[in-house]
Amino acid sequence: MSIEVCDLQDGYAEAAYRNVFYDMRLFKRLKMYAHAEALPGQDDLQDGDLSIFVRIGTDFTDNYYEYEVPLQVTPPGFYLNDFEADRYEVWPIENQGERSAGGVTRIEGTTGSGAL
């Protein structure tokens, strides 16, 4: 999934979403990988300026739990997937989120926020 955002004001969010009908209690871990890069000509994007978030729940207003990870920005450049160092430059470990899916069971039916 990919999203391109321009001129996003501080404190605002843009989202791409996908409704799925999985019982999250069946999974042991929730894992996500994220990548952030500045658009051409937008060199002022810094580490931590963007975050990725995932909401798990029955709706988007009252009954969800949110996980958020501040993103590290990949410097402009040419990267080869064949080299492990290049892969970690594009997909930094700091941008990976992993959470026990068992936590979803414990907080089911509540609204909250927590770091991955």
Side-chain angles (χ1 to χ4, degrees):
M1 182 179 295
S2 175
I3 185 169
E4 183 176 306
V5 179
C6 301
D7 301 321
L8 185 65
Q9 295 179 18
D10 192 25
Y12 284 79
E14 283 291 327
Y17 65 92
R18 178 176 177 200
N19 290 331
V20 294
F21 300 99
Y22 298 124
D23 184 347
M24 296 304 290
R25 297 171 297 183
L26 299 176
F27 298 94
K28 292 181 181 178
R29 307 221 39 94
L30 170 66
K31 201 171 201 179
M32 68 177 174
Y33 301 89
H35 165 78
E37 65 181 77
L39 296 171
Q42 303 280 326
D43 298 331
D44 57 342
L45 185 63
Q46 302 296 316
D47 291 345
D49 284 352
L50 299 173
S51 294
I52 187 168
F53 63 92
V54 173
R55 287 183 179 173
I56 299 172
T58 57
D59 60 50
F60 297 118
T61 56
D62 296 319
N63 300 299
Y64 64 87
Y65 198 75
E66 182 175 290
Y67 301 105
E68 182 174 358
V69 175
L71 295 178
Q72 301 292 309
V73 178
T74 298
F78 180 76
Y79 301 99
L80 296 172
N81 194 40
D82 294 337
F83 297 104
E84 185 174 10
D86 281 4
R87 287 194 300 267
Y88 282 113
E89 191 70 28
V90 174
W91 301 99
I93 292 172
E94 295 85 2
N95 290 1
Q96 296 177 16
E98 186 171 359
R99 179 81 175 180
S100 169
V104 175
T105 305
R106 288 192 301 276
I107 51 90
E108 191 174 344
T110 65
T111 301
S113 181
L116 262 175

